[in-house]
Amino acid sequence: MANSILPHALPSALDAYPGVTLLSLDCFDTLLWRDVHAPVDLFNALGEANLLQRSWAEQTARSNAAVRHRRNEVHIDEIYAELLPNASKAERAAAVQDELDAEARHCFAFKPTVELMRAAKARGIETIIVSDTYLDEKQLRGLIAAAAGEEVAGLIGRIFCSSHYGKAKSEGLYEPVLKALKLAPEKILHIGDNKKADVDGVAPFGVNTLHLVQFTEGSQQRIRLESAISSILHGTETGTALTHQPHRATLAAFEPQVQGAAETLGFTTLGPLFAGFDRWLADEAEALQAANGGIVHAVFLMRDGYLPQLVHEARGGTGHAVEISRFTATAASLGDAGAVNRYVEREILSDLNAVAKQLLLPAPEAAKLVKDHGRPAAFVKAVQEPQRMRRITQTSRAFADRLVAHVRKAVNPAPGDTLMLVDLGYNGSVQNDVEALIASKLSVKVAGRYLLLREQARTGLDKKGFIGHDDYDCAALEALCANVAVLEQLCTAAQGSVVDYEKDGTAIRRGNSIKSRQSDIRDRVQAGCLAFVQAEGSATIRPNTPPHAAAMWRRGAAGTLGRLMYVPLEAELEVLAAFEHDINLGVDNTVSLFDPTIAKKGLRQRGLFYMKGSERMYLPAELHGEGLSLKLSLLAHRRFALPLKYQDFVDNSIALPLIVADGNQVSTGSVTATPTHDGYYLAPIPIGASRFSVGVQFGQLYDWVQVESAVFMPVETFLSDKIRPGTGEVGALPSLEGMEQVAPHLFRCENEFAFMMVPPPPRQGDRPMMLALVFRPIAAREAAAPAATNATAQLTGVAA
């Protein structure tokens, strides 16, 4: 018979043990669960004592007990005697009570376990608690009653605590338990979450045991990483628990029954995120109602508001879907010359074709405008031509009337009502453009409520973020916004973006450029999210809503979101592998979310700095397989806005010897090669305006070397802050002297005179060029080799 059990099977656990007359349960993480990741995380919520001080005190108390009394278990009073050595008895008692109160706030009863206890009672079977704990029987019983309620506490008979007996379950605690029970061990079923304690420590006494496996392996890793990311985002300030994970119980109870990787992604990650967001929206709607009067309408901005609306409705709310894109919001805001000028000045350095289209000019006129006035100053002047400006503003005002008709048709608010615009975020640009228009035309108040808000200017508008400026600094918000495209593609509706409206307000959409397979996967992810929302709360029993509930869901959501953005799991990346991102600006552009092939090449050539200038939107996903340290480095760099440059990552270098030839002139020298990633080095070698041939004297340094790539590129491209691999690159055509290529990229240097000769590329005017050589040392030069032979490198082995 299997000696493990999954949480959802707990209520029927006794069915397989017809001879059992006593149910024995572990307490923590079996009956009582905490809404933090690890028990020690709770210590950060204790008065003036921080997590480390409380942990040190317990370690000292256990060490002293082992030396003085030959026992490893201690009572909480002994711990606080070490933590507060100079405090009075009353002060220590107050501190102990503070910890018990914190436990009561953060603990709850796991409902599947309680259902098992109820089933036992129905069969006439008593339930006891056998717990490894520094609390005594009275304290533990009081904690169960406070955290789970009197009904749950009333289901428990006797309680046995390791602190009383001086030994843990793994040390034989069950021996005195059996003596006290005076019951044959085969009549008992014991269940607990710790295999070493609850199975290995109890089964030798003849007791039936079951190991409660709380989480799947995937969830164990996921919530562990969420805890780490949460610590990076939130710090370790005292007075609040170190981590919050209100979704733990729901994952444990239901995830093993979720079918499919896409559904699992939605259930385990989007579910907790949007369940917390919608709880916050309900609180915000209540606050707006109290402040403004009238009716507060939840208005979900499509397309990204699609999943938040589904979640809102699944939780019993009523929402209105309104299709306002950045394109249509901007189009409706250009009703006067000042607005047009501000828009053009803001966007003049971007794609002028997109700017001309945004100005609502007819396609032929827009194309001619860009063709005839392609320079920024000329373009601005052409836009400001009076007749053209008049056409733009008139067209925009008519567009605005159609947009208002669309809102009226979808919501139909009464004067004095409040429209609560709901979106993923991140700057509230749509609200910036349409708030004044909607407020004046419909006589309503407008408020923006966003999942993630990082406002770029202090607009003074009524905006708030579930994860926003009230609780996070700008660097943390910017770090979370950097890769938000993955969230957008998982939340959106399977339809094209709105580009205009009929007179009656009906939305006019452009074609949907996203592949049907992506839409199918997204539908399954969203179904998993909704499954979590429907299950949330059904695995917990607590008599009162904890006072930290709002902060708990927010902090838990931030950890979940940050984990998905920076440390995605392999199963999640398999779901997202074929996803593309369609840029919602009234254009048809799509780009891949991530590309691991480009990443591997980029890391070797530039290190993490290869990401500069990339159009792909989910770059941390490309780092999968490159180690956790690289992902955490990227997160830390962004989260704390660290002022680091490439040279700060260079802690060693190689002086690579060179032969430089210019016609009949030959000289020797060296270039400094710096590390990039995975043992590779980059040697940047200037060659002027395609003037110099370069001989790289690998033989002086190595017996074996890998050459990843050798490409020529303009110097300004190499030095640019926005690097785009492939731009202006020309593959080198090297020849080999005393070097033998034994495999793609792998070379053996026959002696110390072996070198790779690289002739310059065709001249490109007076444009300075350079050779970017990426290599990895394999074996350092040890001894002289036979005479050199001539060869030519395979193009597939060296050229980029």
Side-chain angles (χ1 to χ4, degrees), residues 288-369:
L288 287 170
Q289 174 85 37
N292 297 342
I295 297 174
V296 177
H297 302 272
V299 178
F300 293 84
L301 299 181
M302 299 293 115
R303 297 174 297 163
D304 297 349
Y306 178 69
L307 182 57
Q309 182 182 4
L310 294 181
V311 170
H312 185 68
E313 293 172 348
R315 297 188 70 248
T318 300
H320 306 275
V322 171
E323 297 185 52
I324 306 178
S325 64
R326 280 180 290 166
F327 179 83
T328 61
T330 301
S333 71
L334 305 176
D336 60 69
V340 175
N341 287 330
R342 286 191 297 273
Y343 168 75
V344 173
E345 290 168 0
R346 185 175 72 242
E347 301 293 336
I348 193 61
L349 297 181
S350 59
D351 182 359
L352 292 183
N353 290 293
V355 174
K357 186 173 184 177
Q358 181 68 79
L359 294 174
L360 305 178
L361 296 172
E365 182 182 356
K368 189 174 188 304
L369 178 65

Side-chain angles (χ1 to χ4, degrees), residues 503-521:
K503 285 187 177 181
D504 68 351
T506 302
I508 300 173
R509 309 183 188 104
R510 65 178 171 89
N512 185 10
S513 57
I514 294 301
K515 300 172 183 176
S516 60
R517 179 172 178 269
Q518 178 169 329
S519 294
D520 293 341
I521 294 172

Side-chain angles (χ1 to χ4, degrees), residues 659-705:
I659 302 170
V660 181
D662 176 12
N664 295 324
Q665 299 290 326
V666 178
S667 61
T668 60
S670 66
V671 67
T672 300
T674 53
T676 55
H677 176 68
D678 200 22
Y680 284 87
Y681 286 76
L682 169 65
I685 307 171
I687 62 165
S690 297
R691 176 182 174 188
F692 300 106
S693 293
V694 177
V696 184
Q697 297 178 288
F698 283 121
Q700 287 193 21
L701 302 180
Y702 310 114
D703 283 332
W704 292 85
V705 65

Side-chain angles (χ1 to χ4, degrees), residues 349-646:
L349 297 181
S350 59
D351 182 359
L352 292 183
N353 290 293
V355 174
K357 186 173 184 177
Q358 181 68 79
L359 294 174
L360 305 178
L361 296 172
E365 182 182 356
K368 189 174 188 304
L369 178 65
V370 175
K371 181 180 179 181
D372 295 345
H373 308 280
R375 294 183 180 275
F379 185 89
V380 171
K381 185 176 180 180
V383 168
Q384 292 174 338
E385 192 275 324
Q387 289 186 347
R388 180 174 284 119
M389 181 66 77
R390 189 160 46 250
R391 291 199 305 276
I392 293 171
T393 55
Q394 288 175 349
T395 303
S396 176
R397 289 194 291 270
F399 196 107
D401 290 340
R402 298 194 296 275
L403 185 150
V404 171
H406 172 72
V407 175
R408 182 181 286 112
K409 183 176 183 178
V411 184
N412 193 29
D417 287 353
T418 298
L419 301 190
M420 184 174 73
L421 305 182
V422 181
D423 196 4
L424 299 184
Y426 314 95
N427 182 49
S429 299
V430 168
Q431 183 182 353
N432 292 347
D433 286 340
V434 304
E435 174 168 325
L437 171 69
I438 292 175
S440 63
K441 294 286 187 179
L442 298 178
S443 300
V444 296
K445 297 180 178 65
V446 177
R449 297 296 181 263
Y450 304 97
L451 174 74
L452 178 59
L453 180 64
R454 180 263 293 119
E455 202 172 12
Q456 294 174 326
R458 297 182 179 182
T459 62
L461 302 180
D462 186 353
K463 293 182 185 178
K464 286 187 180 181
F466 176 45
I467 302 171
H469 296 282
D470 289 345
D471 302 290
Y472 298 87
D473 60 71
C474 290
L477 295 173
E478 184 64 23
L480 290 174
C481 287
N483 309 296
V484 81
V486 63
L487 188 65
E488 293 174 349
Q489 287 306 318
L490 291 172
C491 292
T492 190
Q495 62 189 37
S497 180
V498 61
V499 293
D500 204 343
Y501 311 92
E502 303 285 0
K503 285 187 177 181
D504 68 351
T506 302
I508 300 173
R509 309 183 188 104
R510 65 178 171 89
N512 185 10
S513 57
I514 294 301
K515 300 172 183 176
S516 60
R517 179 172 178 269
Q518 178 169 329
S519 294
D520 293 341
I521 294 172
R522 181 177 54 212
D523 289 346
R524 299 205 304 273
V525 173
Q526 292 177 354
C529 174
L530 295 176
F532 176 92
V533 171
Q534 291 158 355
E536 193 276 313
S538 61
T540 62
I541 296 175
R542 59 199 320 165
N544 302 300
T545 300
H548 62 282
M552 173 174 69
W553 279 97
R554 173 180 53 75
R555 289 164 65 95
T560 299
L561 180 59
R563 200 278 310 161
L564 175 65
M565 287 187 170
Y566 285 93
V567 198
L569 303 184
E570 184 172 357
E572 295 168 336
L573 294 180
E574 290 175 357
V575 172
L576 299 168
F579 269 46
E580 295 179 332
H581 177 63
D582 54 335
I583 302 170
N584 184 7
L585 289 171
V587 295
D588 297 325
N589 296 352
T590 62
V591 295
S592 297
L593 282 178
F594 62 100
D595 189 328
T597 303
I598 294 177
K600 186 169 288 292
K601 176 182 175 182
L603 283 169
R604 290 177 178 180
Q605 292 183 342
R606 292 299 184 95
L608 271 178
F609 291 83
Y610 88 91
M611 293 182 173
K612 288 188 173 183
S614 173
E615 292 183 343
R616 300 179 309 286
M617 308 296 285
Y618 191 20
L619 292 172
E622 299 182 348
L623 302 181
H624 183 72
E626 303 296 340
L628 179 62
S629 58
L630 201 62
K631 302 169 193 174
L632 292 182
S633 294
L634 177 62
L635 171 58
H637 185 271
R638 290 178 174 173
R639 187 265 172 269
F640 297 108
L642 301 178
L644 300 177
K645 299 293 184 181
Y646 176 77

